[in-house]
Amino acid sequence: MYAIVKKRRQPKAEITTVNTPKISNKQVLVQTKMAAICGTDVHIWDWNEWAQNRMKKIPLTIGHEFTGEVVKVGEDVTNVQAGDIVSAETHIVDGTCYQCRTDRMHICQNLEILGVDTDGVFAEYVVLPERNAWKSPPDLDPAISSIQEPLGNAVQTVLPKDRIEDIAGKNVAVLGCGPIGLMAIAVLDTLGAEKIFATGGGRNKVRMELAKKSGADMVLNAREEGENIVKIIRDSTDGNGVDVALEMSGAPSAVRQAFEILTPGGRVSLFGLFDRPLEFDVNNAVVFKAATIYGISGRRMFQTWYQVRGLLSDSRFRKKIASIVTHRIPIKDIAEGMEAIHSKRAGKVVLEPKWE
Amino acid sequence: MYAIVKKRRQPKAEITTVNTPKISNKQVLVQTKMAAICGTDVHIWDWNEWAQNRMKKIPLTIGHEFTGEVVKVGEDVTNVQAGDIVSAETHIVDGTCYQCRTDRMHICQNLEILGVDTDGVFAEYVVLPERNAWKSPPDLDPAISSIQEPLGNAVQTVLPKDRIEDIAGKNVAVLGCGPIGLMAIAVLDTLGAEKIFATGGGRNKVRMELAKKSGADMVLNAREEGENIVKIIRDSTDGNGVDVALEMSGAPSAVRQAFEILTPGGRVSLFGLFDRPLEFDVNNAVVFKAATIYGISGRRMFQTWYQVRGLLSDSRFRKKIASIVTHRIPIKDIAEGMEAIHSKRAGKVVLEPKWE
Amino acid sequence: MYAIVKKRRQPKAEITTVNTPKISNKQVLVQTKMAAICGTDVHIWDWNEWAQNRMKKIPLTIGHEFTGEVVKVGEDVTNVQAGDIVSAETHIVDGTCYQCRTDRMHICQNLEILGVDTDGVFAEYVVLPERNAWKSPPDLDPAISSIQEPLGNAVQTVLPKDRIEDIAGKNVAVLGCGPIGLMAIAVLDTLGAEKIFATGGGRNKVRMELAKKSGADMVLNAREEGENIVKIIRDSTDGNGVDVALEMSGAPSAVRQAFEILTPGGRVSLFGLFDRPLEFDVNNAVVFKAATIYGISGRRMFQTWYQVRGLLSDSRFRKKIASIVTHRIPIKDIAEGMEAIHSKRAGKVVLEPKWE
Amino acid sequence: MYAIVKKRRQPKAEITTVNTPKISNKQVLVQTKMAAICGTDVHIWDWNEWAQNRMKKIPLTIGHEFTGEVVKVGEDVTNVQAGDIVSAETHIVDGTCYQCRTDRMHICQNLEILGVDTDGVFAEYVVLPERNAWKSPPDLDPAISSIQEPLGNAVQTVLPKDRIEDIAGKNVAVLGCGPIGLMAIAVLDTLGAEKIFATGGGRNKVRMELAKKSGADMVLNAREEGENIVKIIRDSTDGNGVDVALEMSGAPSAVRQAFEILTPGGRVSLFGLFDRPLEFDVNNAVVFKAATIYGISGRRMFQTWYQVRGLLSDSRFRKKIASIVTHRIPIKDIAEGMEAIHSKRAGKVVLEPKWE
């Protein structure tokens, strides 16, 4: 079958043919119907420092966001059958470590990631453990179905725990308008946030536009407004600041702003990754402010999937998510998708299984 | 000034004139701009058994849902000033009991209720403790502004605690389509519920229609469908049942259904009041199902008010709430409002301050 | 091997020999070192109405509380090895239903229970799915190790969810002093409860004594004190009542008392099972009081097991639990153990693997 | 009356006489029975940079930790009466800001602190708003009664929110063994923590000893063990690391260790203050670890006071807290108390009201 394989420890990857994989008793074989490019795939494609350190197994089929049809199931599989349309939870877990035994499977101590540690979805067929196959509505647009996994990240950033201060009537800021930031805006708008502020680097006009469409009440250009952002947001919230700040950019200035605009006792989700250690005024940002901070890694398994399913049952939400998908291209043209992302013209890029 | 006063321990109440009240240091005087009839007012008007036992002080000006303009403030008042548009938190609390000292002011051990224990809002002017005056947006439709207090009840029923399983993507049933039931449906729809099921006695076609408009995905006539309701809801939720059931009718059959349609581990809010003790299969309804039950009394002070304010910033939500207000009549015609409620033709009835 | 088998649909069970069971890939074979009699075993032994309805598969080896040594593991088992000392989580779950996928495995939709639906632990050897084998400290007294599962029930009753109002400095009542009620008292005392009130039927003097030893500050004889209990507890809590009430008796009068002694906004855990539907004043017990009620079924998997492990690391706690084990007898004398329980002379009865 | 007054913007303070203060309607006058020195008092005494920036009003009577007897109450005071023994909640709040209205009074936007913004307790008499007077058991040792406020800080650090993962059976590290760190150890031990690790700078042998007495299972000398601490703690927790880490030292190395020893998904409380901004590896410390961080400022009003009261009902806990009070000296010798703290010979220093 065709697959996009990282064959060498250097930039890019090759479209090539490999053996169609075999399944064991508790696995399922899925035919890819649509895949999507994640930021992680871009790092692996670019072969940046993170990718060089993280990727152990080469050659490897890359990609992890997708939807497909189950074509075969192992003999001990009970919950999925041939013909089911599924998406993949990409975290493959051991099920028995301390974290798995205490409702934190998504940060399993022996976590493997599809398309990073095991052969991924940029291929005609992919093997999933039964547990990782998430049944999706057959009538859902495959482009949307294929990005349920990052949608789960957006939900996790908004609602990091099951029992948490709800969003209803809260003022929220989303710092960073990458695809998952945009999704978070759409999630917040659907969950009854009062005012949603979005900030972005401002170089990617497409994303600033999409922030507005996704439900942001105010989109601020971090590059132009600078420190003024803090004043603008305070003035728009009776001087209280926001209840919730979601750092989704990885920019040091955004982290600082997240805490400056936060109302005392508010909460911050840290989703973005940083190029280097941050210098941080802990006293004023965290201690005196009695702030709560959540590090966001992955998605609760499988609470976030149910939440995504529920959100996708809302037609307005689906429309917003569809608008974030700016490019639908044949998978053979993946290099063009990477280029669209690099040149900041793209929201989310999905890949149709056209190999020739 | 004019006021509607319960003068005798018998049905109805009189429109009469009384002295305009005076304020003390920490109180404010408010001129009524719009009031609304609550179910409690109907009980007091009808002088049913509950009212006979509950009302200690007669004569008393009745009514507690309203909006008005502050015309005078006591000398120690710091947070409100003349000209402010306010609504009333109707629970007057001591601030120092165990409940008040532990974030449960709304169930204060020495609670007094406006219009039940102290002179109420069906009058030209009313006195409020500063704490109970909630500043509202001046440009909000007074009919909506006057019903923020019951909207807070709806929010409390949906989200009984600050840190609770959120509504996002959950299936929810609302049993009972009285005004607060309808408000709860609108709240749920705005908070991202997946499917909203509403059940009602079916005699009040107006309310069944409003349930649909408020955001219910399926409105079931409890009278016609009977036990079939359980099957219908199970079938519509992959066999799981609902995650959240809100009992808002006070009907024994509805309580039983609430638990039958509940998914194991789900939660039930009990808001409706019952004419007599219930017979209840605790083993199957609660224990084996690992259900969580919340008794709902009042509204968290003042978290629910902020949530209501946030929800009202959404134009779709405001429109739904406006549709629940079916009658706007002069306060002098209050008897007609009571009649509209008795004859089941009404959603919410609001009273304009026209006394002559 | 020897086993105690329910061979016929009638009272008692037989000590007999059966084939030593075989394991599949993800199972382990365990040699029983100590077992314990649960209330469920008593029901099955007595063949009461519940048992007649619940038991589908006959003949069946009964028993589920135990500790033993792993003697063999299936080829896909990774987490347990021969020589490990384990206890059994007795809930065998499917792992893929809605409840299992959302951190509520203990109320799996397709739950099977060891010794009720599958062959149990009153035998020389027992088969466990790998997931259900809980590794225990080898140096822990086997009598205590064998009752970690009901200890988990006690923890679940005290702390029904992961994120809940803590026990520190709270006043708590335990209504019912059966073995798990006694364990709950010991748990509460170890978690910093302020005052612990215990109530019991008063016919079982052994248990009333043990309640005191387990940490109860006041032990009340429900039979003698009757309604006076409410007054006594209110007077001992500044008139506030208790913050937490644990119903662990299955007595209708105890449920009523649980709500009467509860402070407004307090919480009640319902663990006891009732012979028939209860009549219940929902308005006053639940709604006006803004009470929260938790139905308790099983134990969170595996949060409660970690909590039990932590509690057992405290020598004072271990001593209390040891005192609850009043009888250690050879398993061949199980009939005597049943008799000790019936005659209300026993706390917990454990069974040594002596078959001849 | 006698008082210790900061008269000039320079180190130390003077014992002098001032007018006995008068009370308004909602205030109470309290005669000091015992006071205690807080770290804040040391800063003010030393007149360090923080104190120079923070103190606005000079001259001012300093001190805020104390217990005393109410000698007079204002005419609107309803909850306290002459003869009551009280301690002070030292946060004076407005009661109407966003934080006060949403159960976060302790981080009021217009917060004033006793002895920092208003005249404090190092005097023969002190004025308190009724709300800030906390009635204490008359038979409690005044030395313990006077330090309930910092005990509340310890509880807040251990349990930063009302509904939080409980401590039962969790492994916990306390980094920093100052008086509140020691109190936190005693709290943890009373709440059923599994293993308690304490780390300290190691120069203050008294405190390392007290950590052991307060309930630490392992006391590690940060100076001697250095990075080895991480390995030691991991090895003592099955390789999982701690569930909860409390940073109570203000040392940058301790913050880093707090995150290194944390199990994925664990939580960290930040109580210590830092001399300068920290450099911080956000990716590994927070994001990938899905850590939750709580900034700790003050104490929930008044949940923590009830928790402290409950904890103090336990005689073992009281004994531990008593052992932390290493110095009881006449208030006229306050300079000696400051010296004992500076020279690291002290746990907690309490001041008897002996002025001559």
Side-chain angles (χ1 to χ4, degrees):
Chain A
M1 65 170 189
Y2 280 112
I4 298 177
V5 178
K6 192 82 181 176
K7 283 198 173 165
R8 293 183 196 80
R9 303 187 69 83
Q10 63 186 44
K12 306 219 171 138
E14 292 174 37
I15 299 183
T16 181
T17 56
V18 296
N19 290 332
T20 302
K22 298 203 179 331
I23 55 174
S24 69
N25 291 0
K26 291 285 281 178
Q27 293 180 323
V28 302
L29 185 69
V30 186
Q31 184 177 20
T32 301
K33 295 294 182 191
M34 188 73 82
I37 301 178
C38 171
T40 299
D41 301 319
V42 180
H43 297 328
I44 294 174
W45 183 270
D46 294 348
W47 201 238
N48 70 4
E49 196 182 326
W50 174 86
Q52 293 170 36
N53 291 327
R54 180 66 179 77
M55 298 275 293
K56 308 295 178 200
K57 194 183 149 200
I58 297 278
L60 191 91
T61 299
I62 65 173
H64 57 275
E65 299 179 1
F66 97 122
T67 190
E69 182 178 340
V70 176
V71 292
K72 200 173 171 189
V73 304
E75 63 188 46
D76 294 340
V77 167
T78 57
N79 198 43
V80 180
Q81 53 191 29
D84 284 347
I85 299 299
V86 298
S87 188
E89 166 51 59
T90 61
H91 283 193
I92 300 168
V93 303
D94 67 16
T96 51
C97 75
Y98 181 42
Q99 273 63 28
C100 283
R101 289 248 200 218
T102 52
D103 188 31
R104 295 174 290 187
M105 235 181 241
H106 63 295
I107 42 173
C108 170
Q109 292 184 17
N110 299 301
L111 188 66
E112 295 196 314
I113 297 181
L114 196 67
V116 178
D117 298 301
T118 69
D119 282 320
V121 303
F122 292 171
E124 289 185 86
Y125 296 92
V126 60
V127 170
L128 298 180
E130 178 185 12
R131 171 158 51 197
N132 292 68
W134 176 258
K135 285 192 272 188
S136 302
D139 55 349
L140 185 63
D141 174 358
I144 291 179
S145 196
S146 73
I147 58 174
Q148 290 180 87
E149 191 258 33
L151 259 171
N153 285 340
V155 167
Q156 179 76 2
T157 310
V158 172
L159 301 169
K161 304 228 175 202
D162 264 346
R163 319 186 100 217
I164 202 170
E165 290 85 3
D166 55 280
I167 289 298
K170 296 282 200 303
N171 292 311
V172 187
V174 179
L175 301 103
C177 292
I180 300 184
L182 296 172
M183 291 174 184
I185 293 169
V187 169
L188 289 164
D189 195 38
T190 308
L191 300 190
E194 179 162 354
K195 285 186 190 160
I196 303 171
F197 303 92
T199 72
R203 282 170 299 193
N204 188 331
K205 296 294 176 198
V206 175
R207 290 179 173 179
M208 304 296 274
E209 283 296 310
L210 287 173
K212 198 82 195 171
K213 274 194 197 166
S214 300
D217 293 283
M218 199 183 283
V219 181
L220 297 161
N221 187 321
R223 179 168 284 255
E224 289 167 17
E225 297 291 354
E227 284 310 299
N228 207 18
I229 283 175
V230 176
K231 188 181 178 319
I232 294 170
I233 292 181
R234 288 211 162 273
D235 287 350
S236 306
T237 53
D238 296 339
N240 286 324
V242 297
D243 299 288
V244 178
L246 311 181
E247 204 304 298
M248 307 189 77
S249 72
S253 60
V255 185
R256 275 192 293 272
Q257 282 174 351
F259 288 94
E260 284 172 23
I261 61 180
L262 194 71
T263 202
R267 66 173 160 96
V268 175
S269 287
L270 297 179
F271 176 82
L273 295 175
F274 300 88
D275 291 340
R276 60 187 64 82
L278 276 187
E279 191 165 271
F280 202 66
D281 176 2
V282 174
N283 294 6
N284 288 303
V286 185
V287 182
F288 293 136
K289 217 161 207 176
T292 302
I293 306 171
Y294 295 99
I296 306 299
S297 177
R299 305 145 297 282
R300 276 160 303 144
M301 292 165 61
F302 284 81
Q303 293 93 326
T304 51
W305 287 88
Y306 287 100
Q307 290 168 314
V308 166
R309 187 164 84 178
L311 289 163
L312 286 173
S313 73
D314 179 299
S315 62
R316 287 189 307 267
F317 182 76
R318 281 201 308 279
K319 205 174 152 192
K320 287 174 181 175
I321 298 306
S323 77
I324 296 171
V325 180
T326 52
H327 293 67
R328 300 186 186 217
I329 59 178
I331 196 165
K332 70 180 169 59
D333 300 330
I334 185 170
E336 287 175 26
M338 293 290 174
E339 173 51 25
I341 294 168
H342 281 129
S343 66
K344 311 229 172 259
R345 285 176 290 118
K348 194 81 190 172
V349 178
V350 296
L351 306 169
E352 296 167 336
K354 296 181 184 161
W355 293 93
E356 289 173 351
Chain B
M1 66 169 188
Y2 280 112
I4 297 177
V5 177
K6 192 81 180 178
K7 283 197 173 166
R8 294 183 194 80
R9 303 187 69 82
Q10 63 186 43
K12 307 219 171 139
E14 293 174 36
I15 300 183
T16 183
T17 56
V18 296
N19 290 331
T20 302
K22 298 202 178 330
I23 55 173
S24 69
N25 291 359
K26 290 285 281 179
Q27 293 180 323
V28 302
L29 185 69
V30 187
Q31 185 177 19
T32 302
K33 296 294 182 191
M34 188 74 82
I37 300 178
C38 171
T40 298
D41 301 319
V42 180
H43 296 328
I44 294 174
W45 183 269
D46 294 347
W47 202 237
N48 70 3
E49 196 183 326
W50 175 86
Q52 293 170 36
N53 291 327
R54 181 67 179 75
M55 298 275 293
K56 307 295 177 198
K57 195 183 150 199
I58 297 280
L60 191 91
T61 299
I62 65 173
H64 57 274
E65 299 179 0
F66 95 123
T67 190
E69 182 178 339
V70 175
V71 291
K72 201 172 168 189
V73 305
E75 62 188 48
D76 293 341
V77 167
T78 55
N79 199 42
V80 180
Q81 54 191 29
D84 283 348
I85 299 299
V86 299
S87 188
E89 167 49 60
T90 62
H91 282 192
I92 300 168
V93 303
D94 67 15
T96 52
C97 74
Y98 181 41
Q99 273 63 28
C100 284
R101 290 249 200 218
T102 52
D103 188 31
R104 295 174 290 186
M105 233 182 243
H106 63 295
I107 43 172
C108 170
Q109 292 184 18
N110 299 301
L111 188 66
E112 294 196 314
I113 298 181
L114 196 67
V116 177
D117 298 301
T118 69
D119 283 318
V121 304
F122 291 172
E124 289 185 86
Y125 295 91
V126 61
V127 170
L128 297 180
E130 178 185 10
R131 172 159 50 199
N132 293 68
W134 177 259
K135 284 191 274 187
S136 302
D139 55 348
L140 186 61
D141 174 358
I144 291 179
S145 196
S146 73
I147 58 173
Q148 290 179 87
E149 191 257 32
L151 260 171
N153 285 339
V155 168
Q156 179 76 1
T157 311
V158 172
L159 300 169
K161 304 228 174 200
D162 263 346
R163 319 186 100 216
I164 202 168
E165 290 85 2
D166 55 281
I167 290 298
K170 297 281 199 303
N171 292 312
V172 187
V174 178
L175 301 103
C177 291
I180 301 184
L182 295 172
M183 292 174 184
I185 293 169
V187 170
L188 289 164
D189 195 38
T190 308
L191 301 189
E194 178 161 357
K195 284 186 191 161
I196 303 171
F197 303 93
T199 73
R203 282 170 298 192
N204 189 331
K205 296 294 175 198
V206 176
R207 290 179 173 179
M208 304 296 274
E209 283 295 310
L210 287 173
K212 199 79 196 173
K213 274 194 196 164
S214 299
D217 293 283
M218 198 182 282
V219 181
L220 297 161
N221 187 321
R223 181 167 283 255
E224 289 167 18
E225 297 290 356
E227 284 310 300
N228 207 18
I229 282 176
V230 176
K231 189 182 176 317
I232 294 170
I233 292 180
R234 287 209 163 276
D235 287 351
S236 305
T237 52
D238 297 340
N240 287 324
V242 297
D243 300 288
V244 178
L246 311 181
E247 203 304 297
M248 307 189 76
S249 72
S253 60
V255 185
R256 276 193 292 273
Q257 282 174 351
F259 288 93
E260 283 171 24
I261 62 181
L262 194 70
T263 201
R267 66 172 159 100
V268 175
S269 288
L270 296 179
F271 177 82
L273 294 175
F274 301 88
D275 290 340
R276 60 187 61 82
L278 277 187
E279 192 165 87
F280 202 67
D281 176 2
V282 174
N283 295 6
N284 288 303
V286 185
V287 181
F288 293 137
K289 217 161 207 177
T292 302
I293 306 172
Y294 295 98
I296 307 297
S297 178
R299 304 147 297 282
R300 277 159 302 144
M301 291 166 61
F302 284 82
Q303 293 92 327
T304 52
W305 287 89
Y306 287 100
Q307 289 168 315
V308 166
R309 187 165 83 179
L311 289 164
L312 286 173
S313 73
D314 179 300
S315 62
R316 287 189 308 265
F317 182 76
R318 279 200 309 277
K319 205 173 152 193
K320 287 175 181 174
I321 298 305
S323 76
I324 295 171
V325 179
T326 52
H327 294 65
R328 300 188 185 214
I329 61 178
I331 195 164
K332 69 181 168 61
D333 299 332
I334 185 171
E336 286 175 28
M338 293 290 174
E339 174 51 24
I341 294 168
H342 281 129
S343 66
K344 312 230 172 260
R345 285 177 291 117
K348 195 81 191 173
V349 177
V350 297
L351 306 170
E352 296 168 335
K354 295 179 185 163
W355 292 92
E356 292 174 349
Chain C
M1 65 171 188
Y2 281 112
I4 297 177
V5 178
K6 191 82 181 177
K7 282 197 173 167
R8 295 185 192 78
R9 302 187 71 81
Q10 64 186 45
K12 307 219 170 138
E14 292 174 37
I15 299 183
T16 182
T17 55
V18 297
N19 290 332
T20 302
K22 299 206 178 327
I23 55 174
S24 69
N25 292 359
K26 290 285 281 181
Q27 294 180 323
V28 302
L29 185 68
V30 186
Q31 184 177 19
T32 301
K33 295 295 181 189
M34 188 75 80
I37 301 178
C38 171
T40 299
D41 300 320
V42 180
H43 296 329
I44 294 173
W45 184 270
D46 294 347
W47 201 238
N48 70 4
E49 196 182 326
W50 174 86
Q52 293 170 35
N53 291 327
R54 181 66 179 75
M55 298 275 294
K56 309 296 177 199
K57 193 183 152 201
I58 297 278
L60 191 90
T61 299
I62 65 173
H64 57 273
E65 300 179 1
F66 96 122
T67 190
E69 182 178 339
V70 175
V71 292
K72 200 173 170 188
V73 304
E75 62 189 45
D76 294 339
V77 167
T78 56
N79 198 41
V80 180
Q81 53 191 28
D84 283 347
I85 298 299
V86 299
S87 188
E89 166 51 59
T90 62
H91 282 192
I92 300 167
V93 303
D94 67 16
T96 52
C97 75
Y98 181 41
Q99 273 63 28
C100 283
R101 289 248 201 220
T102 52
D103 187 31
R104 295 175 290 186
M105 233 181 242
H106 63 296
I107 43 172
C108 170
Q109 292 184 17
N110 299 301
L111 188 66
E112 295 196 314
I113 297 182
L114 195 67
V116 178
D117 299 300
T118 69
D119 282 320
V121 305
F122 291 172
E124 289 185 86
Y125 296 92
V126 61
V127 169
L128 298 179
E130 178 185 12
R131 172 159 49 196
N132 293 66
W134 176 259
K135 284 192 272 186
S136 302
D139 55 349
L140 185 62
D141 173 359
I144 292 179
S145 196
S146 73
I147 58 173
Q148 290 179 88
E149 191 258 33
L151 260 172
N153 285 340
V155 168
Q156 179 76 0
T157 311
V158 172
L159 300 169
K161 304 228 174 200
D162 263 346
R163 316 186 102 217
I164 202 170
E165 290 84 2
D166 55 279
I167 289 297
K170 297 281 199 302
N171 292 311
V172 187
V174 179
L175 300 102
C177 292
I180 300 184
L182 296 172
M183 291 173 183
I185 293 169
V187 170
L188 289 164
D189 195 38
T190 308
L191 300 190
E194 178 162 356
K195 283 186 190 161
I196 303 171
F197 303 92
T199 73
R203 282 171 297 193
N204 189 332
K205 297 295 176 195
V206 176
R207 289 179 174 179
M208 303 297 275
E209 284 294 309
L210 287 174
K212 199 81 196 172
K213 273 193 196 165
S214 299
D217 293 283
M218 199 182 282
V219 181
L220 297 161
N221 187 321
R223 180 168 282 255
E224 290 168 16
E225 297 290 356
E227 284 309 300
N228 206 18
I229 283 176
V230 176
K231 188 181 177 320
I232 295 170
I233 292 179
R234 287 209 163 275
D235 288 351
S236 306
T237 53
D238 296 340
N240 287 324
V242 297
D243 299 288
V244 178
L246 311 181
E247 204 304 297
M248 307 190 75
S249 72
S253 60
V255 184
R256 276 193 291 274
Q257 283 174 353
F259 288 94
E260 284 172 22
I261 61 180
L262 194 71
T263 202
R267 66 173 160 98
V268 175
S269 287
L270 296 180
F271 177 81
L273 294 175
F274 301 88
D275 290 341
R276 59 188 62 83
L278 276 187
E279 191 165 88
F280 202 67
D281 176 2
V282 174
N283 294 6
N284 288 303
V286 185
V287 182
F288 293 136
K289 217 161 207 176
T292 302
I293 306 171
Y294 295 99
I296 307 298
S297 178
R299 306 145 296 282
R300 278 160 301 143
M301 292 165 61
F302 285 82
Q303 292 92 328
T304 52
W305 287 90
Y306 287 101
Q307 290 168 314
V308 166
R309 186 164 83 179
L311 290 163
L312 286 173
S313 73
D314 179 301
S315 62
R316 287 189 308 265
F317 182 76
R318 280 200 308 278
K319 205 173 152 192
K320 287 175 182 174
I321 298 306
S323 77
I324 296 171
V325 179
T326 52
H327 293 67
R328 301 187 184 214
I329 60 176
I331 195 164
K332 70 181 169 60
D333 299 331
I334 185 169
E336 286 175 27
M338 293 290 174
E339 173 52 25
I341 294 169
H342 281 129
S343 65
K344 311 231 172 257
R345 285 177 291 118
K348 195 81 192 172
V349 177
V350 298
L351 306 170
E352 295 168 335
K354 295 179 184 161
W355 293 92
E356 292 174 350
Chain D
M1 66 170 188
Y2 280 112
I4 298 177
V5 178
K6 191 82 181 180
K7 283 197 173 168
R8 294 183 194 80
R9 303 187 70 81
Q10 63 187 44
K12 306 215 172 141
E14 294 174 35
I15 299 184
T16 182
T17 56
V18 297
N19 290 332
T20 302
K22 299 204 178 328
I23 55 174
S24 69
N25 292 359
K26 292 284 282 179
Q27 293 180 325
V28 302
L29 185 69
V30 187
Q31 184 176 20
T32 302
K33 295 295 183 190
M34 188 74 83
I37 301 178
C38 171
T40 299
D41 301 319
V42 180
H43 297 329
I44 294 174
W45 183 270
D46 294 348
W47 201 239
N48 71 4
E49 197 182 326
W50 175 86
Q52 293 170 35
N53 292 327
R54 180 66 179 76
M55 298 276 291
K56 307 296 177 198
K57 195 183 149 199
I58 296 279
L60 192 90
T61 299
I62 64 173
H64 57 273
E65 300 179 1
F66 97 122
T67 191
E69 182 179 339
V70 175
V71 291
K72 201 173 170 188
V73 304
E75 61 189 48
D76 294 340
V77 166
T78 57
N79 198 43
V80 181
Q81 53 190 30
D84 283 348
I85 298 299
V86 299
S87 189
E89 167 49 61
T90 61
H91 282 192
I92 300 168
V93 303
D94 67 16
T96 52
C97 74
Y98 181 42
Q99 273 63 27
C100 283
R101 290 249 201 218
T102 51
D103 187 32
R104 295 174 290 186
M105 232 181 243
H106 63 295
I107 43 172
C108 171
Q109 292 184 16
N110 299 300
L111 188 67
E112 294 197 314
I113 298 181
L114 195 67
V116 177
D117 298 301
T118 69
D119 282 320
V121 304
F122 291 172
E124 288 184 87
Y125 296 92
V126 61
V127 170
L128 297 179
E130 179 185 11
R131 172 159 50 199
N132 293 67
W134 176 260
K135 284 192 274 187
S136 302
D139 56 348
L140 186 62
D141 174 358
I144 291 179
S145 195
S146 73
I147 58 173
Q148 290 179 87
E149 190 257 33
L151 259 171
N153 285 340
V155 168
Q156 179 76 1
T157 310
V158 172
L159 301 169
K161 305 228 174 201
D162 263 347
R163 318 185 100 217
I164 201 169
E165 290 84 1
D166 56 279
I167 289 297
K170 298 280 200 303
N171 292 312
V172 187
V174 179
L175 301 102
C177 291
I180 300 184
L182 295 172
M183 291 173 184
I185 292 169
V187 170
L188 289 163
D189 194 37
T190 308
L191 301 189
E194 179 161 356
K195 284 186 190 161
I196 303 171
F197 303 92
T199 73
R203 281 170 298 192
N204 188 332
K205 296 294 175 195
V206 176
R207 290 179 173 179
M208 304 296 275
E209 284 294 310
L210 287 173
K212 200 79 196 174
K213 275 194 196 166
S214 299
D217 293 283
M218 199 183 281
V219 182
L220 297 161
N221 187 322
R223 181 168 282 256
E224 289 167 17
E225 297 290 355
E227 285 310 300
N228 206 18
I229 282 176
V230 176
K231 187 180 179 318
I232 293 171
I233 291 180
R234 289 209 162 274
D235 287 351
S236 305
T237 53
D238 297 340
N240 286 324
V242 296
D243 299 288
V244 178
L246 311 180
E247 203 304 298
M248 308 190 76
S249 72
S253 60
V255 185
R256 276 193 291 274
Q257 282 174 352
F259 288 93
E260 282 171 24
I261 61 180
L262 193 71
T263 201
R267 66 173 159 98
V268 175
S269 287
L270 296 180
F271 176 82
L273 294 174
F274 300 88
D275 291 339
R276 59 186 63 83
L278 276 187
E279 191 165 90
F280 203 65
D281 175 3
V282 174
N283 294 6
N284 287 304
V286 185
V287 181
F288 293 136
K289 217 161 207 176
T292 302
I293 306 172
Y294 296 98
I296 306 298
S297 178
R299 304 146 298 281
R300 277 159 302 145
M301 291 166 60
F302 284 82
Q303 293 93 325
T304 52
W305 286 89
Y306 286 100
Q307 291 168 313
V308 166
R309 186 165 84 178
L311 290 163
L312 286 174
S313 73
D314 179 299
S315 62
R316 287 189 308 267
F317 182 76
R318 280 200 308 278
K319 205 174 151 192
K320 286 175 181 174
I321 298 305
S323 77
I324 296 171
V325 179
T326 53
H327 294 66
R328 301 187 185 214
I329 61 177
I331 195 165
K332 70 181 169 61
D333 299 331
I334 185 170
E336 286 175 27
M338 293 291 174
E339 173 52 26
I341 294 169
H342 281 129
S343 66
K344 312 232 172 254
R345 285 176 291 118
K348 194 81 190 173
V349 177
V350 296
L351 306 169
E352 296 168 335
K354 296 180 183 161
W355 293 93
E356 289 174 351

